[in-house]
Amino acid sequence: MMNDQLRRRSVGSPAARSVLLTLLGEYVLPARTGVWQETLIGALGTMDYKTQAARQALARSVAAGWLTTERHGRRSRVALTPDTAAMLETGAERIYGFGEPPEWDGQWLLAVLRVPEERRDVRHQLRTRLAWAGFGSLRGGLWISPHVESEAELRQMAAEEPAAELLSFRAQLGALGEAERLIAEAWDLA
């Protein structure tokens, strides 16, 4: 048991909430119906997450607005919120949409994210959304994407979070710098 815990830590075992998100995307999203809470707890249990960790992942997901719950006697049915369903659909399109890469004209979309220091929660949320949208971080609040069409997603983020300031630019890599190094810094491709 102890070796198992050490192994999971050494290889960076994902948090129960991350695995829960995968389960929701793979099994709950396609069904478009809710699922019993104990089913999700059991599924996480089969992946070696303790019951307490599974319950905490569910509770935090409900508190964050990812999920809703509905009581049925002593049992609870868990369902995706519309925003979570939309996020998971976008992710599924990206994950399963591999194939021939689209034609690229060399244009990069740069986004500058500024959030007041006292609103760290907003900063964390927007960083997560930018990463989920495929942006890579160049540090210092500068994000980059080869998908200039993602600007509409930036506009939506800015509209939904008035505490944040988002600026966007379209650019090409100049004479200084190497594309390979830029990509390696922005995204952990390994």
Side-chain angles (χ1 to χ4, degrees):
M1 180 71 167
M2 183 60 136
N3 287 340
D4 218 22
Q5 289 175 338
L6 291 174
R7 181 190 55 77
R8 282 179 37 195
R9 285 190 186 138
S10 70
V11 297
S13 178
R17 198 159 167 211
S18 294
V19 175
L20 173 63
L21 192 61
T22 300
L23 289 171
L24 294 170
E26 290 294 322
Y27 300 105
V28 178
L29 179 65
R32 295 290 181 190
T33 60
V35 63
W36 294 111
Q37 180 174 323
E38 50 272 8
T39 301
L40 290 172
I41 292 169
L44 288 169
T46 64
M47 291 181 263
D48 295 330
Y49 291 94
K50 295 188 183 317
T51 301
Q52 180 59 30
R55 288 187 187 282
Q56 188 174 41
L58 276 166
R60 287 182 176 169
S61 298
V62 170
W66 290 7
L67 303 170
T68 60
T69 58
E70 184 180 310
R71 298 288 296 173
H72 292 270
R74 296 178 65 189
R75 301 174 76 194
S76 287
R77 193 131 178 99
V78 178
L80 301 172
T81 63
D83 286 346
T84 303
M87 177 187 69
L88 291 172
E89 285 170 351
T90 301
E93 288 170 13
R94 221 182 342 264
I95 291 167
Y96 299 115
F98 287 131
E100 198 60 36
E103 196 67 29
W104 185 54
D105 63 1
Q107 291 287 312
W108 293 94
L109 178 61
L110 299 174
V112 178
L113 172 63
R114 296 185 196 152
V115 180
E117 184 62 31
E118 62 273 6
R119 295 302 311 268
R120 289 181 182 181
D121 59 321
V122 171
R123 183 181 305 123
H124 174 73
Q125 179 185 26
L126 286 175
R127 284 177 177 167
T128 302
R129 288 183 66 185
L130 284 165
W132 186 260
F135 281 81
S137 174
L138 294 175
R139 289 178 283 192
L142 182 61
W143 294 78
I144 189 167
S145 171
H147 304 287
V148 294
E149 68 277 4
S150 295
E151 198 164 20
E153 213 166 336
L154 289 176
R155 188 176 297 114
Q156 182 180 354
M157 286 183 213
E160 292 172 1
E161 191 45 70
E165 180 183 356
L166 272 165
L167 302 171
S168 63
F169 301 88
R170 293 175 185 224
Q172 287 184 325
L173 188 61
L176 299 175
E178 301 168 21
E180 293 81 10
R181 188 170 175 186
L182 171 78
I183 292 165
E185 185 177 331
W187 293 276
D188 181 10
L189 299 179

